[in-house]
Amino acid sequence: DAGVIQSPRHEVTEMGQEVTLRCKPISGHNSLFWYRQTMMRGLELLIYFNNNVPIDDSGMPEDRFSAKMPNASFSTLKIQPSEPRDSAVYFCASSFGTGVGGTQYFGPGTRLTVL
Amino acid sequence: AQTVTQSQPEMSVQEAETVTLSCTYDTSESNYYLFWYKQPPSRQMILVIRQEAYKQQNATENRFSVNFQKAAKSFSLKISDSQLGDTAMYFCAFMTTSGTYKYIFGTGTRLKVLA
């Protein structure tokens, strides 16, 4: 099993540009989570999907952030326009509901730097 | 609302010795899961150990074991025979079984294993 795949691993962009982060969950998993990690705020859940449907997006910081899951094997997190305060590591994780105790398996993360 | 508290921001231990990281949580639910994740400098989030609340027996994975005290709402992680590769940030997480699959994470404990 390849695990959760995220791309790109690193992204450097300028303020105002659109950024798209991508995630491929583990095959067979039906829940997908997007997290943001910063030194100041720690790990924050941004949004999660169950069976491709957004269930809770209360952690999405503002309208500049959007996430989609068009099918069971792909999700995107988009920031438009990006700002320097969006600089962080963004993780995607997937799980099989409460299967295996609801264990979430994390991708390697995308380190985003907005200049 | 559920909360997870890790009261030790940083700890250090000599190689080959034993260290215990503490985690307390607050919930009114009786059925839930608890997790410890490790985040080494590579930033990959790695599952260390998982505990189901309905199981009285403490979970063990090789050198890692937990002391789960349900009444006290405590879930500490013991690392035996510490190795340099155990140097990492350790996060405690709580997940309810009441239909959502969200984790509540603690703020983490930075562990340094000294040679």
PDB file of all heavy atoms in Angstrom, chain A residues 75-89:
ATOM      1  N   SER A  75      -8.543  14.490  -3.641  1.00  0.00           N
ATOM      2  CA  SER A  75      -9.079  15.682  -2.997  1.00  0.00           C
ATOM      3  C   SER A  75      -8.111  16.843  -3.225  1.00  0.00           C
ATOM      4  O   SER A  75      -6.904  16.633  -3.377  1.00  0.00           O
ATOM      5  CB  SER A  75      -9.271  15.469  -1.507  1.00  0.00           C
ATOM      6  OG  SER A  75      -9.743  16.643  -0.867  1.00  0.00           O
ATOM      7  N   THR A  76      -8.651  18.050  -3.263  1.00  0.00           N
ATOM      8  CA  THR A  76      -7.832  19.245  -3.383  1.00  0.00           C
ATOM      9  C   THR A  76      -8.195  20.244  -2.308  1.00  0.00           C
ATOM     10  O   THR A  76      -9.346  20.323  -1.861  1.00  0.00           O
ATOM     11  CB  THR A  76      -7.994  19.921  -4.749  1.00  0.00           C
ATOM     12  OG1 THR A  76      -9.386  20.280  -4.921  1.00  0.00           O
ATOM     13  CG2 THR A  76      -7.553  19.023  -5.881  1.00  0.00           C
ATOM     14  N   LEU A  77      -7.192  20.996  -1.904  1.00  0.00           N
ATOM     15  CA  LEU A  77      -7.380  22.144  -1.013  1.00  0.00           C
ATOM     16  C   LEU A  77      -6.814  23.348  -1.743  1.00  0.00           C
ATOM     17  O   LEU A  77      -5.647  23.347  -2.129  1.00  0.00           O
ATOM     18  CB  LEU A  77      -6.654  21.931   0.314  1.00  0.00           C
ATOM     19  CG  LEU A  77      -6.724  23.082   1.324  1.00  0.00           C
ATOM     20  CD1 LEU A  77      -8.140  23.259   1.858  1.00  0.00           C
ATOM     21  CD2 LEU A  77      -5.757  22.839   2.491  1.00  0.00           C
ATOM     22  N   LYS A  78      -7.656  24.348  -1.954  1.00  0.00           N
ATOM     23  CA  LYS A  78      -7.253  25.505  -2.736  1.00  0.00           C
ATOM     24  C   LYS A  78      -7.270  26.749  -1.867  1.00  0.00           C
ATOM     25  O   LYS A  78      -8.186  26.949  -1.047  1.00  0.00           O
ATOM     26  CB  LYS A  78      -8.186  25.679  -3.929  1.00  0.00           C
ATOM     27  CG  LYS A  78      -7.796  26.767  -4.898  1.00  0.00           C
ATOM     28  CD  LYS A  78      -8.745  26.817  -6.091  1.00  0.00           C
ATOM     29  CE  LYS A  78      -8.616  25.588  -6.951  1.00  0.00           C
ATOM     30  NZ  LYS A  78      -9.429  25.681  -8.189  1.00  0.00           N
ATOM     31  N   ILE A  79      -6.269  27.587  -2.070  1.00  0.00           N
ATOM     32  CA  ILE A  79      -6.208  28.877  -1.382  1.00  0.00           C
ATOM     33  C   ILE A  79      -6.103  29.952  -2.460  1.00  0.00           C
ATOM     34  O   ILE A  79      -5.188  29.935  -3.278  1.00  0.00           O
ATOM     35  CB  ILE A  79      -4.989  28.976  -0.439  1.00  0.00           C
ATOM     36  CG1 ILE A  79      -4.930  27.773   0.503  1.00  0.00           C
ATOM     37  CG2 ILE A  79      -5.071  30.276   0.370  1.00  0.00           C
ATOM     38  CD1 ILE A  79      -3.648  27.703   1.336  1.00  0.00           C
ATOM     39  N   GLN A  80      -7.091  30.861  -2.473  1.00  0.00           N
ATOM     40  CA  GLN A  80      -7.114  31.892  -3.494  1.00  0.00           C
ATOM     41  C   GLN A  80      -7.806  33.139  -2.960  1.00  0.00           C
ATOM     42  O   GLN A  80      -8.996  33.086  -2.647  1.00  0.00           O
ATOM     43  CB  GLN A  80      -7.845  31.385  -4.746  1.00  0.00           C
ATOM     44  CG  GLN A  80      -8.246  32.439  -5.766  1.00  0.00           C
ATOM     45  CD  GLN A  80      -7.071  33.182  -6.385  1.00  0.00           C
ATOM     46  OE1 GLN A  80      -5.944  32.713  -6.338  1.00  0.00           O
ATOM     47  NE2 GLN A  80      -7.336  34.342  -6.941  1.00  0.00           N
ATOM     48  N   PRO A  81      -7.105  34.262  -2.831  1.00  0.00           N
ATOM     49  CA  PRO A  81      -5.664  34.440  -3.025  1.00  0.00           C
ATOM     50  C   PRO A  81      -4.884  34.058  -1.774  1.00  0.00           C
ATOM     51  O   PRO A  81      -5.389  34.155  -0.658  1.00  0.00           O
ATOM     52  CB  PRO A  81      -5.577  35.947  -3.269  1.00  0.00           C
ATOM     53  CG  PRO A  81      -6.680  36.515  -2.435  1.00  0.00           C
ATOM     54  CD  PRO A  81      -7.803  35.498  -2.483  1.00  0.00           C
ATOM     55  N   SER A  82      -3.661  33.634  -1.939  1.00  0.00           N
ATOM     56  CA  SER A  82      -2.843  33.247  -0.799  1.00  0.00           C
ATOM     57  C   SER A  82      -2.258  34.479  -0.092  1.00  0.00           C
ATOM     58  O   SER A  82      -2.070  35.540  -0.721  1.00  0.00           O
ATOM     59  CB  SER A  82      -1.713  32.309  -1.244  1.00  0.00           C
ATOM     60  OG  SER A  82      -0.926  32.946  -2.242  1.00  0.00           O
ATOM     61  N   GLU A  83      -2.003  34.319   1.200  1.00  0.00           N
ATOM     62  CA  GLU A  83      -1.417  35.377   2.010  1.00  0.00           C
ATOM     63  C   GLU A  83      -0.262  34.785   2.825  1.00  0.00           C
ATOM     64  O   GLU A  83      -0.248  33.578   3.091  1.00  0.00           O
ATOM     65  CB  GLU A  83      -2.463  35.967   2.954  1.00  0.00           C
ATOM     66  CG  GLU A  83      -3.622  36.647   2.244  1.00  0.00           C
ATOM     67  CD  GLU A  83      -4.616  37.276   3.203  1.00  0.00           C
ATOM     68  OE1 GLU A  83      -4.377  37.233   4.430  1.00  0.00           O
ATOM     69  OE2 GLU A  83      -5.639  37.812   2.713  1.00  0.00           O
ATOM     70  N   PRO A  84       0.690  35.638   3.244  1.00  0.00           N
ATOM     71  CA  PRO A  84       1.833  35.113   4.025  1.00  0.00           C
ATOM     72  C   PRO A  84       1.414  34.334   5.259  1.00  0.00           C
ATOM     73  O   PRO A  84       2.075  33.362   5.635  1.00  0.00           O
ATOM     74  CB  PRO A  84       2.599  36.396   4.391  1.00  0.00           C
ATOM     75  CG  PRO A  84       2.322  37.323   3.250  1.00  0.00           C
ATOM     76  CD  PRO A  84       0.886  37.053   2.866  1.00  0.00           C
ATOM     77  N   ARG A  85       0.306  34.698   5.895  1.00  0.00           N
ATOM     78  CA  ARG A  85      -0.116  33.983   7.092  1.00  0.00           C
ATOM     79  C   ARG A  85      -0.651  32.575   6.809  1.00  0.00           C
ATOM     80  O   ARG A  85      -0.940  31.817   7.740  1.00  0.00           O
ATOM     81  CB  ARG A  85      -1.182  34.773   7.845  1.00  0.00           C
ATOM     82  CG  ARG A  85      -2.445  35.053   7.063  1.00  0.00           C
ATOM     83  CD  ARG A  85      -3.259  36.126   7.768  1.00  0.00           C
ATOM     84  NE  ARG A  85      -4.338  36.635   6.934  1.00  0.00           N
ATOM     85  CZ  ARG A  85      -5.629  36.492   7.231  1.00  0.00           C
ATOM     86  NH1 ARG A  85      -5.990  35.866   8.320  1.00  0.00           N
ATOM     87  NH2 ARG A  85      -6.554  36.995   6.428  1.00  0.00           N
ATOM     88  N   ASP A  86      -0.782  32.242   5.532  1.00  0.00           N
ATOM     89  CA  ASP A  86      -1.176  30.875   5.167  1.00  0.00           C
ATOM     90  C   ASP A  86       0.021  29.923   5.172  1.00  0.00           C
ATOM     91  O   ASP A  86      -0.151  28.707   5.001  1.00  0.00           O
ATOM     92  CB  ASP A  86      -1.813  30.866   3.776  1.00  0.00           C
ATOM     93  CG  ASP A  86      -3.038  31.750   3.686  1.00  0.00           C
ATOM     94  OD1 ASP A  86      -3.717  31.942   4.718  1.00  0.00           O
ATOM     95  OD2 ASP A  86      -3.304  32.282   2.591  1.00  0.00           O
ATOM     96  N   SER A  87       1.219  30.469   5.348  1.00  0.00           N
ATOM     97  CA  SER A  87       2.410  29.626   5.374  1.00  0.00           C
ATOM     98  C   SER A  87       2.307  28.628   6.520  1.00  0.00           C
ATOM     99  O   SER A  87       2.077  29.008   7.680  1.00  0.00           O
ATOM    100  CB  SER A  87       3.666  30.487   5.543  1.00  0.00           C
ATOM    101  OG  SER A  87       3.827  31.351   4.435  1.00  0.00           O
ATOM    102  N   ALA A  88       2.454  27.339   6.180  1.00  0.00           N
ATOM    103  CA  ALA A  88       2.240  26.274   7.159  1.00  0.00           C
ATOM    104  C   ALA A  88       2.560  24.948   6.477  1.00  0.00           C
ATOM    105  O   ALA A  88       2.843  24.899   5.281  1.00  0.00           O
ATOM    106  CB  ALA A  88       0.781  26.255   7.648  1.00  0.00           C
ATOM    107  N   VAL A  89       2.467  23.872   7.249  1.00  0.00           N
ATOM    108  CA  VAL A  89       2.484  22.527   6.671  1.00  0.00           C
ATOM    109  C   VAL A  89       1.052  22.029   6.645  1.00  0.00           C
ATOM    110  O   VAL A  89       0.345  22.075   7.660  1.00  0.00           O
ATOM    111  CB  VAL A  89       3.370  21.562   7.482  1.00  0.00           C
ATOM    112  CG1 VAL A  89       3.339  20.168   6.860  1.00  0.00           C
ATOM    113  CG2 VAL A  89       4.800  22.082   7.563  1.00  0.00           C
TER     114      VAL A  89
END
